[in-house]
Amino acid sequence: MFWRRKPVGAAVIVATIACLTPLDGAALAAQPSPPALSQQDALHRISANLAPDSAQAGRWIENGKLMVAVINEAEAARVRKSGATPKLVTRNLTDLQLLLAKVDKLARAERGTGLQSWGIDPVTNKVVVRARASFQQRGAYGAIRRLGDGVQVVTVTTHFQQQSGEVNPGDPWWPGSESNCSVGFPATDAQGGKHFVTAGHCTNDANQAAYGASGQTNKLGTSNVGGTHSINAREGDMGVVDVTEAGWTISPAVNTWGQPAVTVTGSADAIVGDAVCHSGNTAPNWECGTVTAVNQTIDYGSVVIDGLSTTNACSEGGDSGGAWLRGDKAVGVHSGGNSSCVANDPGNSVFQPVNEALARWNLTLLTGGGTPGDTEAPTAPANPRSTGTTASSVSLAWDASTDNVGVTGYDVYNGGTLATSVAGTTATISGLAADTSYSFTIQAKDAAGNKSAASAAVTARTQPGGGDPGGRTFSNGTDYPIRDFQTTVSTVSSTASGRAASPMKVTVQGNHSCLEDLNISLVSPSGRWYYLQRYGGTTCHPLPASKTYDVTPAGTENATGTWSLRIGDNGPGDTGTLTNWSITV
């Protein structure tokens, strides 16, 4: 689609071209109404109402809950009262920031030597440094490792770059005669002037003509007016284009490339775990994923930038400056990404928080209400099935639903009661009675609040309580992410008396794309380790949805006490989830 001007006297029609629209004589698409309040919006409201405290160490969204890291039970109680879920950790935010300052000093002295990013990860309660293997040969590597357990170095195989691209049809904009970038969010100044925010590395030249078509045609305005409206340095990657030419206007309707446009209703700051989408002019144009980190320092090689966010959504050259959204809320403008997309890579794409750009140049985001939009519900989840049971839990799986815009999650019902909400296509329902039959259904939902019809019912029966009146099967149905080069630990507390059975049975339930990347171990209350699965192999096979291991205890292993399941992921480029595990002692 090329940018076009409005003929004199023609009616003004709003077109859905990534927030910036010329006037035209024919309607291109209708603007939708803002999506209904979603679960994600509700979690952000809880976060906004929960005041920060020195006993907190970060926030993120996980399995439909707002998680808050806290260092004591008093703060945990306050967090619970707010509607969020506390997680006890050892380091508060001040501790993490002091560690980050030390990492930052060491990392900035090693620019261009394999470092990718560094910043605080609230989920692990650590400062995480991502770097290629070559960085291990640098002096700073050892110095960073010596900072202790509060710093984790993750090896990656890709590198970030500030993306540019070839001229493509669609809705890019061109800074002078350079490669195209993507239009970000529209905004106005105090005098009513029209602008849009985009990437700073697209607006680095002062007073550069901005075009709506290739070949320096269809001028729409001027980029970086006065040389004071662009930053591509430590402070950020953000810039402003003034829309000044006759026949051009701006619109809050974001192009979703063949799907109903999303009308921006406001802005927000992203939280780790947020579901987000971005619109850019390079195929596949509209990409969705999850925020994996915020407030990160990114080393692009030519420049180091603070305060950026990373996601696992893919992007390509030419997407720079494009719009990132959480539902209908603007959250960022596209900054860069991997040199090539890697499946499930938590650092595929990078964005600059949009609120910083708006505040820096005293701009007001253009928003709209719109007319009826996304009212289409997702399809019902197909093939619902039980993938495993314990005496107190049932694990379920189903086939993904489809939607005209995108499925954002699933609600799982135990009879007529909501049991849990998840983002993926598996769930474990815990806290159930032993030797009891249950019936479950699943509904899919989208960002606009539309819900699918219920799936077919799936019936599952929990196991007897360990096979004897005392009950010797114990389980933990909490979901734990399995991440590259990290160890997931889940515990159960056994009250069974006497010696452990021989063999003990350990059932592991979850998902992961490469079983050969995993070390799976059982640690007894006495501290003995039993290896269930060892890392190694040249071909990846998925972790079975439910896998049972027989474990012969050594010596006189007692049954009572805390048993730990440890899953270490020793390979890059894949992730998974431990959804449930049980041990029969």
Side-chain angles (χ1 to χ4, degrees), residues 30-49:
Q31 297 181 68
S33 60
L37 185 64
S38 66
Q39 180 187 29
Q40 194 162 237
D41 292 327
L43 297 179
H44 275 258
R45 279 210 315 276
I46 294 173
S47 181
N49 292 331

Side-chain angles (χ1 to χ4, degrees), residues 298-452:
I298 303 296
D299 187 349
Y300 282 120
S302 59
V303 62
V304 176
I305 299 175
D306 291 340
L308 302 182
S309 300
T310 61
T311 79
N312 59 12
C314 283
S315 60
E316 298 290 350
D319 285 334
S320 288
W324 281 88
L325 302 111
R326 173 178 65 80
D328 59 1
K329 299 295 190 298
V331 294
V333 292
H334 189 73
S335 175
N338 281 337
S339 52
S340 60
C341 276
V342 178
N344 299 317
D345 191 320
N348 264 322
S349 297
V350 185
F351 67 81
Q352 160 72 48
V354 70
N355 280 335
E356 292 180 20
L358 295 171
R360 185 174 188 91
W361 290 293
N362 195 28
L363 298 175
T364 300
L365 181 71
L366 184 66
T367 60
T371 54
D374 182 14
T375 58
E376 182 176 331
T379 60
N383 192 27
R385 55 204 181 271
S386 171
T387 57
T389 62
T390 69
S392 60
S393 68
V394 172
S395 292
L396 304 172
W398 54 90
D399 294 346
S401 298
T402 59
D403 184 62
N404 63 316
V405 174
V407 175
T408 59
Y410 299 87
D411 290 335
V412 181
Y413 289 86
N414 178 3
T417 302
L418 179 65
T420 188
S421 296
V422 296
T425 56
T426 61
T428 296
I429 314 303
S430 304
L432 306 178
D435 199 19
T436 303
S437 181
Y438 292 91
S439 179
F440 301 95
T441 55
I442 304 102
Q443 283 185 289
K445 54 190 178 182
D446 63 17
N450 302 309
K451 283 194 171 185
S452 74

Side-chain angles (χ1 to χ4, degrees), residues 83-147:
T85 301
K87 178 183 177 182
L88 286 171
V89 297
T90 58
R91 287 172 283 270
N92 63 19
L93 189 58
T94 300
D95 296 331
L96 292 172
Q97 288 171 336
L98 289 172
L99 276 174
L100 179 59
K102 296 177 181 178
V103 169
D104 187 76
K105 183 177 180 180
L106 292 166
R108 287 184 183 276
E110 296 282 5
R111 278 181 50 185
T113 59
L115 278 170
Q116 186 190 72
S117 65
W118 54 96
I120 293 171
D121 177 20
V123 180
T124 61
N125 194 229
K126 295 182 179 183
V127 174
V128 174
V129 179
R130 293 167 62 84
R132 296 189 293 283
S134 60
F135 180 65
Q136 297 178 17
Q137 310 304 316
R138 310 295 299 184
Y141 175 75
I144 288 173
R145 292 294 297 268
R146 287 193 293 274
L147 292 175

